[in-house]
Amino acid sequence: MTKSKFLSYVVNLIAAAAVFLAFHLLFSGGVVSRSYRDLFTLGCIYSIAAVSLNLSTGLLGELCLGHAGFMSVGAYTSALITISFDKPGDMPILLLSLVIGGLLAALSGIIVGIPALRLRGDYLAITTLAFGEIVKVIVRALKITGGGQPMTGISLTTNYTLSYWILIITIIIIYTLIRSRHGRAILSIREDDIAAEASGVAVTRYKLLAFSLSAFFAGVAGGLYAHYQGVLEPQFFDYNQSINFMVMVVLGGIGSLTGSVISAFFLTLLPEILRGLAVYRTLIYSVVLVLLMLYRPEGLLGQKELSQRLFARLLGRNGLRTSPQSGVGGSSASPQENIPVSGTAERKADSAVSDRLGTSTGAPEEALERKWKGRR
Amino acid sequence: MTYFMMQFLNGLQIGSIYALIALGYTMVYGIIKLINFAHGEIIMTAAYFIYFFMTKWQLSFLLSTVLATLLSVVIGVLIERIAYRRLRNASRLSALITAIAISLFLQTLYMILFTPDPRAFPMTATRFPVLKLGKIIFSSWTLITIVTAVIVMILLQLFVSRHKAGKAMLVVSEDLKGSYLMGIKVNRIVAMTFAIGSALAGIAAALYIVSYPQITPYMGSLPGIKAFIAAVLGGIGLIPGAMLGGFLLGLVETMTKAYMPSQLTQLSEGVVFIILILVLLLKPAGLLGKSESEKV
């Protein structure tokens, strides 16, 4: 680990702790009401789900339409475990149940992923869509999960401290993964899977790795949700919930983890602010999605992360280091932290990355061209 | 045996509806490589149109179906024109997300306009005379459904193999860029594909709501998903594949429901998804498809 990298991790951790402290003071000082504290917790949980969905959709480039299904697996597993231990409020048991719930979600991710991820094309979208429906059917059919009735008696152990730090851990794990060589392999699959395979990336294995990790964190988020809500209903984890997470990812930026967090919090708070418009929410979401795809397909933040570098650049201290790349929105990032965007404007950066990965096929422009033109 | 034959007819009936819907999916996928998630919602809108034409305007079922089919065509072409056409060169992910958003938009719009409460369709299959063939008893509606679907499919097959525009459609699905160079008006052909697909969805909607006389804003999604699976089963992008896949899926689904132990019937919805997983594992190109290796 280089010195600057180490420094950046330390700075980020301190920043995360500072943000937590600020919220902690707000909540414990009684400045904001309890309902906002609960919203903060929910925002953290949704952020975990959105960030993990971003791993499979934004960074791996496979559309997952059953993210709420994985969340449901995690939620019911974790709830069943804490209920069977019968020690309400016990933190270690909750943590254990979260991990087991996550692992079970990851396992179901592998089962769903193996048939679909071996293939090229959009099969994962339809398989995960089907998976979400199947989970709902199974949960309704089984007696231990309530058998169609809401499942109750789950202790309310999740608090904002726990959800916040799990969110931070999630971001750290996914972020460090993406910056490792495994992460670059995952990104190369998104950019051009044929080129990636030709340069020796085990495409199916890496797809499965990213997808099951994404399912794992969805499961953890589900477990947190179960112990936040206290009641589990199968229809909460339906297709619309999966789409909600998709909106969070797309709005925040396809491939931007911090973008997902911001939009997850924004979309958790928004319904509270616009209570009267509840009916129109989904309608607005769908219109926003279409407009985004037409005019800004990479999402609001694109692939940029909110990092101290971005802040530094915005403040102008680092202005000289900004390379004159063809960035979106003027403030282009240095190649080190900028994971290229799936959009024509970023082609240069794309080929730069494929060069670094050694996946350049000799004519990267042409290879990418094929990707954008949609292939068979 | 009588029971089996009756279930077989039921399977053919729902299968022919799946086949009609699957044709819409497969033609669009064949031509622009997009899973048109909004296709299921075309069925839903057509169902509402038929319902309102029949209850508000007192039109006959046949006339309502024709009008609703025409309106479906308009909606399908509009969706293509407004959303998909501009994304034809975008990444697949953008196009897919747009398709999902359109489907969500239509569902929510109809939920707001017409409330989520289910509406009972005035004409049900029980109104049709019962036919007897030896010991086999079935509704004449079953026969009408199957015959209608088969006639429509034969017409489509004739159109694609004989008519110039139909042939052009096959060419575009073979090679979109190449057909530009051959002077085919690709935009017009793609719009035509959406029009035909939506028309088939309109007819399928009419056949569907008489058998399952309940209209809700979400009614299109499940038959939509199943029909897509049927298209994958037969070989996505292939017109005969969609027909075969639709009939097969309908038969398998009906048979499992009929012969499954009663305590497991809740899980019978899952059968089609197991079929999907099996197809993807064993023969991803579908029953009629040939697996092609990717050209680099």
Side-chain angles (χ1 to χ4, degrees), chain B residues 132-179:
Chain B
K132 274 183 197 168
L133 203 82
K135 275 184 187 169
I136 308 162
I137 304 161
F138 58 97
S139 163
S140 53
W141 177 248
T142 308
L143 206 63
I144 294 172
T145 307
I146 299 169
V147 170
T148 313
V150 170
I151 290 174
V152 169
M153 283 182 231
I154 290 171
L155 287 178
L156 180 72
Q157 195 59 45
L158 284 177
F159 173 73
V160 169
S161 57
R162 299 282 162 81
H163 196 274
K164 212 171 164 187
K167 286 180 190 169
M169 203 170 83
L170 287 186
V171 173
V172 176
S173 79
E174 201 65 39
D175 187 343
L176 195 131
K177 261 191 206 162
S179 41

Side-chain angles (χ1 to χ4, degrees), chain A residues 66-109:
Chain A
H67 211 59
F70 295 118
M71 213 175 149
S72 171
V73 171
Y76 279 99
T77 313
S78 152
L80 285 172
I81 290 170
T82 50
I83 287 175
S84 67
F85 272 101
D86 199 24
K87 271 190 213 161
D90 194 71
M91 202 47 94
I93 288 178
L94 175 65
L95 289 177
L96 178 79
S97 76
L98 289 181
V99 171
I100 296 177
L103 286 176
L104 219 66
L107 184 71
S108 42

Side-chain angles (χ1 to χ4, degrees), chain A residues 49-62:
Chain A
V51 166
S52 58
L53 180 63
N54 212 334
L55 175 60
S56 60
T57 297
L59 299 166
L60 176 66
E62 291 278 350

